[in-house]
Amino acid sequence: MPTPSASLDNSGSLPNEFTHSAQGTALRRILGLPALVFFGLVYMVPLTIFTTYGVVTEMTGGRTALAYVVTLLAMIFTALSYSFMVRRYPIAGSAYSYTSLSFGPGVGFLAGWSLLLDYLFLPMINYLVIGLFLNIAFPEVPAWVFVVSTIALVTVLNILGISSVSGMSNLIVIAQVVFVLVFLAMAGQSLFGTPIDFTTPFIGDGTQPGLAPLMAGAAVLCLSFLGFDAVSTLAEEARDPKRDIPRAIIITTLCAGVLFFVLSLVAQLVFPGSVFQDADAAANEVMLKAGGQFLAAFFTATYVAGAAGSALASQASVSRILYSMGRDGILPRRLFGTLSERFHTPTVAILIVSLVSLLAVVIDLATLASMISFGALVAFSAVNLAVIRTHLFDGCPRQPGDLVRYGLIPAIGFALIAWLWTSLSGLTLAIGLGWFAVGLAYLAIQTGGFRRKAPHVQFSEFE
């Protein structure tokens, strides 16, 4: 079966890769299943649980492990919806592309715009954390020096191509796996011979009882699972996207969810309760309790490397979403919808993301974190609805199993995501709705007050 090309291509042929007709270049199909899984895992950053561990532990009253179970349940249903959509539409753009093809380019733009809130600021959070941690280790060097240097390095690697990103991702995942094994071993040694109450991580310490605090913590933890969405953005660079991308999405989600649960469970057993000297630095208290200064230093080094890898992967993903939206004409095509003829990468989009990331020099972590949750849940909701619209309302006869696969599963996913969405803080909702309003205003301008259809590219195999 030929791979679809944009109908704007006037050559009259169907090339073997998705081609943007403006310059006749294409993203290279070089990624197999292992590389896709590693990309998703490094995007999530296995050690990311320690970024929000103290905050969520305080929020849930010591039930972070249980909150991860709730979040994983919601993510599994949504990951299945992503896998259904990528089998139907193996193209870059993630929630933007799926929603565009299911509900039209206008709704697709708003979904993509909401998702940009995550992708634009995720690299920035990583740069900010790198600057903070390295400044603590080397106080004579200002944090902004580390931030700017890391942005420059990540930008160069992304411009060189996805193979550079993939290779670096593999090394970082391996380093974090080594740390996880060391942490589990030293934590087990510290717990050996002491009485352990395995119910504590599930019932908490009583400081935040009830379901509402648990759901609020689970909503925050959704950010840890953005890696499976990032995998879908590489559909045009996978060798066999219809087979490997769905598998990579499910494998990434399950592996990360189990890992997050185990690490939070062990951390809670090592350091019971929900009271820390500094919630933002609670990971250091856990490491010192589990393995002393050695483990704390090992954690800092591995965490900084993981943050760099996450920045590498997240910048690669957002640049491809911008490229997809520029290629479709919903964003300025000359800026965003072009590929480098030499490297076959969206160079201009990568550079724009790097410029935005420089805000990490002046913005604070709390503000960044509040900007991200909203977009993730909006995009996840849109994809669940897109499965129902695409697979059950296309006029084709359906088998009973299709009603479960394409109806019940995404409906449950949407309900769980909506529940988490209502658990977000008022500040997060305000910022998210403000961002959404800006996107709606931009769309109104582009469509002449919604009198014209939003621009899009038709894919000959799909439409």
Side-chain angles (χ1 to χ4, degrees):
M1 181 180 293
T3 305
S5 63
S7 63
L8 295 178
D9 188 343
N10 296 320
S11 64
S13 61
L14 288 175
N16 291 326
E17 301 184 52
F18 289 86
T19 303
H20 177 222
S21 60
Q23 65 270 350
T25 56
L27 296 167
R28 293 173 176 171
R29 294 193 177 278
I30 61 177
L31 300 180
L33 180 60
L36 293 168
V37 171
F38 268 58
F39 180 90
L41 289 176
V42 77
Y43 192 99
M44 292 187 188
V45 187
L47 299 186
T48 194
I49 81 135
F50 295 114
T51 302
T52 56
Y53 177 78
V55 174
V56 175
T57 299
E58 285 190 348
M59 187 182 297
T60 61
R63 294 179 289 170
T64 300
L66 182 58
Y68 266 115
V69 174
V70 175
T71 307
L72 177 60
L73 180 63
M75 292 301 103
I76 285 296
F77 284 98
T78 300
L80 286 170
S81 290
Y82 270 87
S83 70
F84 297 151
M85 293 304 295
V86 80
R87 284 193 183 98
R88 175 67 70 91
Y89 303 127
I91 55 178
S94 185
Y96 159 66
S97 293
Y98 305 149
T99 311
S100 293
L101 290 166
S102 299
F103 294 104
V107 177
F109 169 79
L110 293 175
W113 181 263
S114 298
L115 190 59
L116 280 179
L117 192 62
D118 302 331
Y119 282 119
L120 279 174
F121 294 115
L122 272 174
M124 200 185 307
I125 281 186
N126 288 295
Y127 296 133
L128 178 58
V129 170
I130 289 171
L132 292 174
F133 272 84
L134 290 183
N135 178 246
I136 293 173
F138 306 99
E140 65 277 6
V141 181
W144 68 265
V145 173
F146 294 114
V147 171
V148 174
S149 299
T150 306
I151 291 174
L153 175 62
V154 168
T155 300
V156 169
L157 288 174
N158 268 301
I159 289 175
L160 290 178
I162 198 64
S163 59
S164 299
V165 177
S166 177
M168 185 68 71
S169 298
N170 295 348
L171 292 176
I172 292 171
V173 169
I174 292 171
Q176 294 201 34
V177 168
V178 171
F179 171 81
V180 167
L181 295 176
V182 172
F183 168 70
L184 293 177
M186 298 189 77
Q189 185 178 24
S190 70
L191 291 171
F192 183 75
T194 62
I196 301 174
D197 185 359
F198 286 98
T199 64
T200 300
F202 300 97
I203 63 175
D205 59 7
T207 58
Q208 296 289 341
L211 185 61
L214 180 67
M215 295 303 296
V220 173
L221 296 179
C222 286
L223 304 181
S224 301
F225 288 88
L226 283 175
F228 78 78
D229 177 87
V231 171
S232 70
T233 67
L234 301 180
E236 294 183 36
E237 290 159 279
R239 287 194 292 266
D240 190 348
K242 288 190 176 183
R243 185 194 68 177
D244 289 343
I245 294 289
R247 292 180 179 180
I249 288 172
I250 301 302
I251 293 172
T252 299
T253 305
L254 287 174
C255 289
V258 171
L259 179 61
F260 295 155
F261 168 76
V262 170
L263 290 177
S264 58
L265 178 66
V266 172
Q268 186 65 51
L269 294 175
V270 169
F271 197 106
S274 60
V275 179
F276 305 98
Q277 294 180 3
D278 181 3
D280 292 339
N284 286 332
E285 297 181 48
V286 174
M287 299 306 157
L288 288 170
K289 183 76 176 293
Q293 289 293 342
F294 164 76
L295 190 61
F298 190 10
F299 167 75
T300 298
T302 311
Y303 183 78
V304 168
S310 180
L312 193 66
S314 57
Q315 188 185 58
S317 293
V318 69
S319 64
R320 280 149 180 80
I321 291 177
L322 291 172
Y323 163 70
S324 182
M325 297 176 78
R327 178 179 62 184
D328 290 4
I330 198 67
L331 291 178
R333 183 172 288 130
R334 290 186 178 182
L335 277 179
F336 297 99
T338 60
L339 292 176
S340 165
E341 293 186 4
R342 179 179 179 183
F343 300 112
H344 292 255
T345 53
T347 302
V348 175
I350 291 170
L351 292 174
I352 290 174
V353 174
S354 298
L355 291 175
V356 173
S357 296
L358 289 173
L359 289 173
V361 174
V362 297
I363 202 167
D364 65 273
L365 186 60
T367 302
L368 276 177
S370 66
M371 290 180 177
I372 296 175
S373 299
F374 182 91
L377 295 175
V378 170
F380 293 164
S381 299
V383 173
N384 280 306
L385 294 176
V387 172
I388 298 173
R389 172 66 178 83
T390 299
H391 291 84
L392 297 184
F393 292 91
D394 58 358
C396 298
R398 295 297 169 197
Q399 301 296 324
D402 292 336
L403 297 178
V404 174
R405 185 179 299 110
Y406 305 126
L408 182 61
I409 289 177
I412 293 175
F414 175 79
L416 290 172
I417 293 299
W419 192 4
L420 293 176
W421 197 31
T422 60
S423 300
L424 294 173
S425 69
L427 175 62
T428 298
L429 290 174
I431 293 174
L433 290 173
W435 175 266
F436 188 86
V438 171
L440 188 64
Y442 177 83
L443 182 63
I445 294 172
Q446 289 291 305
T447 58
F450 304 106
R451 291 190 298 270
R452 301 187 302 269
K453 289 185 177 181
H456 74 296
V457 173
Q458 292 184 340
F459 295 96
S460 57
E461 185 175 314
F462 304 140
E463 302 181 319

